Amino acid sequence: MEKKQCDLCAGTEFEQIGDRDRHGNSLESVICKACGLVAHGKIPTDEELAHYYATEYRKSYHGELTPSDRRVMRAWKNGERIFRQLQPHIEPDAGVFEVGAGIGCTVKVFELNGHQSTGIEPGEGFQDYSQQRLLTNVVRGDLFEQPRDHSRELVLLVHVIEHFNSPRRALEYIRGMMAENGLFYVECPNIAAPFARRSKMFHYAHIHNFTPSSLKMLAESCGFKLEVQFGSKEDPNLQMLFSCSDSTELNIDPDNFKQTMQVIEQATPVRYHLRPWYVSTRFSKVASYLREHLTAKQFVADVVQECQQFASDHEDEQPAELRAAA
């Protein structure tokens, strides 16, 4: 049997840090003792993942195959946040390509703001919704089918990198797709952020779990250079913008293993709930959920109307399949 290798540093020494997922199902999670990357003990094959994401992921992870109004509203606001965050760093007419576009809200937000914006999404229900309701140029597709023609100006990988069985292979492939002055934005769960309990850290779909250091190490070794890290250490998600680089040197952070282990061992309800600003952040989240329940249906109706009006105003510029959907 072939010995497991770390996808970041090719290390072969691991420590088990979990044996169950967040639902109590059997799932071994390990940490590389050399670089501190957290991953499944057994990595799923390409075939297993293709089937899972095409038919099972949305139902098991989100509880729905077609997105609810609340989910669309949340995704749209998230897309607006990402656009505002990246706007100062990109050209006004930069082309945008999103890998794993989901509902397509982020793709559409960039399009409505003047960008030629496209994406791919393997999930059938979400991709259908994206194209038919929001009239996005999001097609069902696989990253490794995309041309590596050095043409992409901005590539988005929003809550996708943790789902690859080899993030290294994915980032190296994306680097070959990008223009030399292109930018690469990654957003994913931050395992170094506070967790209420260790048992909630792991999920079958999250094959790799990143800290700021491990994500930076991986990206830099795949030909990228960190330009901006948005947010704070408390944020549950990493948000990093990279530029393209000629260097692919791997520089291992010698402290990442120890620091990651410390965070994992400290994941207890007491520590989590005694954090500064815990009460205010929980109140804000509960209030936002209430607003979603009350306003999501009308919000989505307005978004769909805006997308249809935009398509009508730019009918001659739309691909044939989108004109048919409209």
Side-chain angles (χ1 to χ4, degrees):
M1 186 176 181
E2 186 177 351
K3 194 169 186 180
K4 176 179 170 65
Q5 282 193 338
C6 174
D7 195 63
L8 198 169
C9 72
T12 56
E13 297 296 325
F14 300 91
E15 181 172 332
Q16 182 175 321
I17 54 175
D19 60 7
R20 299 283 167 181
D21 70 6
R22 65 183 64 171
H23 304 297
N25 301 315
S26 178
L27 179 69
E28 182 189 23
S29 297
V30 300
I31 183 171
C32 174
K33 290 185 175 182
C35 68
L37 179 67
V38 174
H40 288 0
K42 184 185 178 199
I43 304 297
T45 65
D46 289 343
E47 292 75 19
E48 290 169 337
L49 289 181
H51 172 75
Y52 177 70
Y53 286 116
T55 61
E56 298 180 29
Y57 167 62
R58 296 297 178 187
K59 187 175 181 180
S60 66
Y61 194 63
H62 297 303
E64 55 194 26
L65 293 175
T66 301
S68 64
D69 287 339
R70 285 183 63 209
R71 191 166 304 283
V72 176
M73 179 179 179
R74 198 176 300 171
W76 189 270
K77 290 181 175 294
N78 195 50
E80 291 179 324
R81 173 188 60 79
I82 291 171
F83 173 74
R84 290 193 302 269
Q85 206 159 254
L86 298 184
Q87 186 181 22
H89 304 278
I90 62 177
E91 295 296 327
D93 60 349
V96 180
F97 180 73
E98 183 171 11
V99 179
I103 304 168
C105 292
T106 303
V107 167
K108 199 65 183 183
V109 167
F110 275 89
E111 183 184 356
L112 295 180
N113 283 279
H115 296 268
Q116 183 179 351
S117 189
T118 62
I120 54 173
E121 165 58 37
E124 297 171 2
F126 277 41
Q127 187 271 330
D128 286 342
Y129 183 99
S130 177
Q131 198 169 81
Q132 294 170 14
R133 295 280 286 158
L134 302 183
L135 306 180
T136 65
N137 191 7
V138 173
V139 300
R140 208 162 300 158
D142 182 84
L143 168 63
F144 302 104
E145 298 169 349
Q146 307 307 307
R148 303 185 74 196
D149 56 4
H150 299 283
S151 66
R152 305 294 186 179
E153 297 171 291
L154 173 63
V155 173
L156 308 177
L157 205 62
V158 180
H159 290 275
V160 172
I161 190 172
E162 65 270 24
H163 299 277
F164 287 117
N165 56 9
S166 174
R168 172 171 295 284
R169 180 166 71 112
L171 265 58
E172 289 174 345
Y173 195 94
I174 289 171
R175 181 64 180 84
M177 295 166 52
M178 297 190 63
E180 289 307 308
N181 63 343
L183 293 171
F184 176 47
Y185 177 74
V186 184
E187 192 167 306
C188 68
N190 177 14
I191 201 170
F195 276 81
R197 51 184 59 84
R198 185 168 176 170
S199 61
K200 295 296 184 182
M201 285 183 165
F202 308 114
H203 187 281
Y204 173 78
H206 292 181
I207 301 169
H208 292 85
N209 297 272
F210 293 92
T211 65
S213 183
S214 59
L215 181 57
K216 180 173 179 286
M217 281 189 279
L218 178 65
E220 288 180 345
S221 69
C222 294
F224 296 100
K225 176 186 175 184
L226 180 63
E227 294 293 333
V228 186
Q229 180 175 345
F230 304 97
S232 70
K233 292 189 297 183
E234 289 279 304
D235 288 340
N237 297 313
L238 298 173
Q239 304 163 55
M240 293 184 172
L241 181 65
F242 297 90
S243 60
C244 293
S245 168
D246 293 330
S247 173
T248 55
E249 185 177 357
L250 173 61
N251 295 305
I252 294 179
D253 177 357
D255 298 321
N256 192 52
F257 167 72
K258 181 179 178 181
Q259 291 172 350
T260 304
M261 284 297 299
Q262 186 176 30
V263 168
I264 292 169
E265 290 165 355
Q266 290 177 349
T268 65
V270 172
R271 285 181 178 272
Y272 182 80
H273 293 107
L274 288 181
R275 290 177 302 141
W277 309 295
Y278 169 78
V279 173
S280 61
T281 56
R282 289 303 300 171
F283 179 81
S284 297
K285 183 168 287 189
V286 170
S288 71
Y289 289 162
L290 178 60
R291 285 195 298 271
E292 287 175 3
H293 277 293
L294 295 174
T295 64
K297 186 175 182 179
Q298 185 60 52
F299 182 93
V300 173
D302 293 342
V303 163
V304 170
Q305 183 177 19
E306 181 182 6
C307 293
Q308 291 175 343
Q309 185 62 53
F310 182 87
S312 177
D313 294 343
H314 298 79
E315 186 174 359
D316 294 340
E317 305 167 21
Q318 298 293 324
E321 61 268 26
L322 294 191
R323 293 200 298 271

